[in-house]
Amino acid sequence: MSNNRATIADNVTIIKERIWRAAEKAGRSSDKIDLMAVTKFQPIDVIRQAYLAGIRIFGENRVQEASAKFGYPYKNQGPKKTNKAISGAAYGRDFEIRLP
C-alpha cells in the first residue's frame, strides 16, 4: 500500500533545504536561522517524530498544552490572554524549550 503523505522527517528535510536556499539567496548563513515547530493541537507522538527528525525548538501558544506536553511552558506563540498571563507569570515573558 502506497502512502502519498510525506513523513514529518521528509517535511523537515524539505523545509531545511528551503531555509538554506533562502539564506544563500539573501547572503546569510543558514546556521544563523532557527527552525521552530509549532505544536498547537499536536499529540506528543507527533512532537516526538519531529524531535527524531532533528527539530529542537518547539513553540506553543497555550500554556496549559505546553505544560501537559513538556511539564513546563516553552516558546509562546501569539497574543497572551489572561489565563496565559496568570499561568505564565512564574515562567517569564516568553516560553521556549530547546531540546538537546
Side-chain angles (χ1 to χ4, degrees):
M1 184 166 137
S2 163
N3 185 352
N4 291 330
R5 292 181 56 196
T7 67
I8 290 172
D10 293 336
N11 286 333
V12 168
T13 299
I14 290 166
I15 292 166
K16 285 183 176 183
E17 287 171 358
R18 290 177 66 186
I19 289 170
W20 180 84
R21 284 194 305 271
E24 178 133 307
K25 185 176 178 180
R28 295 182 58 192
S29 170
S30 61
D31 294 338
K32 304 283 184 191
I33 300 170
D34 291 328
L35 175 60
M36 176 189 291
V38 177
T39 59
K40 185 173 183 178
F41 302 124
Q42 296 302 315
I44 197 68
D45 62 315
V46 170
I47 297 167
R48 206 173 278 126
Q49 289 177 45
Y51 179 84
L52 293 173
I55 300 295
R56 295 297 182 267
I57 306 172
F58 297 90
E60 177 76 52
N61 73 337
R62 303 173 116 195
V63 172
Q64 297 88 343
E65 258 190 67
S67 295
K69 292 173 185 174
F70 294 97
Y72 53 90
Y74 60 123
K75 186 69 179 176
N76 182 54
Q77 296 295 310
K80 288 186 176 24
K81 297 179 183 168
T82 304
N83 64 343
K84 290 180 195 173
I86 293 168
S87 298
Y91 301 100
R93 182 181 168 104
D94 288 332
F95 316 126
E96 178 176 306
I97 185 169
R98 291 179 181 250
L99 302 173

